[in-house]
């Protein structure tokens, strides 16, 4: 942490992993975040759910930006990320071509912090969603860390 003019700024890098089987979309959105962001992100990408899960297991990931429309995994990658309790919490932002409200609501219900449709999303929208998602997850982690263990709890 560093202080400037009474304001405390975090120097922690945020690592964002994009998982999308559409290589053009993967390049576009990774570039959008790198080039149009006011925050310094480490940006990783994976062209499949399997590759994305491997990166999640081997790297410290703060946020996954996930496409739902992937033939071999898609939405199921989200479930694996949310259910895997052996890692610190990972923020999940859905970024998809699929505008079906029921899919986006299901993703939110199952733990995604934000759901965006590619066609109507700007680089700024994406950055805001990532920042908010990471902040939500980090605040939950802080709250959990501050709650004292209950007597008799394992």
């Amino acid at each position: 942490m560093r202080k400037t003019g009474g304001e405390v700024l975090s120097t922690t890098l945020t690592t964002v992993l994009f998982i999308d089987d559409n290589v053009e979309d993967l390049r576009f959105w990774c570039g959008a975040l790198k080039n149009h962001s006011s925050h310094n992100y480490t940006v990783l990408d994976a062209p499949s759910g399997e590759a994305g899960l491997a990166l999640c297991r081997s790297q410290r990931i703060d946020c996954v930006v996930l496409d739902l429309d992937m033939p071999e995994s898609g939405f199921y990658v989200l479930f694996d990320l949310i259910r895997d309790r052996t890692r610190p919490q990972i923020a999940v932002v859905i970024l998809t071509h699929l505008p079906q409200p029921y899919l986006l609501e299901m993703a939110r219900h199952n733990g995604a912090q934000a759901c965006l449709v590619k066609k109507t999303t700007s680089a700024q929208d994406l950055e805001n969603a990532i920042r908010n998602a990471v902040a939500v997850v980090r605040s939950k982690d802080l709250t959990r860390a501050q709650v004292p263990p209950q007597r008799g709890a394992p």
Side-chain angles (χ1 to χ4, degrees), residues 51-85:
L53 285 173
L55 281 169
C56 285
R57 290 184 181 112
S58 67
Q59 309 259 342
R60 184 190 61 81
I61 306 293
D62 298 298
C63 183
V64 171
V65 178
L66 175 67
D67 181 27
L68 293 181
D69 188 23
M70 291 189 291
E72 47 87 23
S73 56
F75 198 65
Y76 298 104
V77 174
L78 171 65
F79 289 122
D80 281 348
L81 290 171
I82 299 301
R83 289 181 182 155
D84 188 350
R85 302 287 183 213

Side-chain angles (χ1 to χ4, degrees), residues 16 24-25 31 35-36 55-56 65 111 125 138 144 147 151:
V16 179
E24 290 175 8
D25 283 355
N35 298 325
H36 301 288
L55 281 169
C56 285
V65 178
D125 294 335
R138 285 181 179 162
R144 266 190 230 110
V147 174
R151 285 193 164 171

Side-chain angles (χ1 to χ4, degrees), residues 36-127:
H36 301 288
S37 174
S38 59
H39 186 72
N40 191 14
Y41 293 100
T42 298
V43 178
L44 304 174
D45 62 79
S48 69
E50 186 177 317
L53 285 173
L55 281 169
C56 285
R57 290 184 181 112
S58 67
Q59 309 259 342
R60 184 190 61 81
I61 306 293
D62 298 298
C63 183
V64 171
V65 178
L66 175 67
D67 181 27
L68 293 181
D69 188 23
M70 291 189 291
E72 47 87 23
S73 56
F75 198 65
Y76 298 104
V77 174
L78 171 65
F79 289 122
D80 281 348
L81 290 171
I82 299 301
R83 289 181 182 155
D84 188 350
R85 302 287 183 213
T86 61
R87 294 186 312 275
Q89 289 290 357
I90 298 173
V92 177
V93 173
I94 301 300
L95 180 64
T96 187
H97 282 294
L98 302 173
Q100 289 88 353
Y102 73 92
L103 280 177
L104 301 178
E105 186 53 41
M106 185 187 299
R108 279 190 201 93
H109 179 74
N110 285 287
Q113 284 74 33
C115 297
L116 305 169
V117 177
K118 291 176 181 178
K119 185 177 180 180
T120 60
T121 299
S122 69
Q124 188 62 54
D125 294 335
L126 178 60
E127 181 181 7

Side-chain angles (χ1 to χ4, degrees), residues 19-40:
I19 303 174
D20 195 328
D21 65 331
N22 182 320
V23 178
E24 290 175 8
D25 283 355
L26 201 56
R27 280 191 204 126
F28 176 82
W29 290 106
C30 288
L33 187 62
K34 287 178 187 175
N35 298 325
H36 301 288
S37 174
S38 59
H39 186 72
N40 191 14

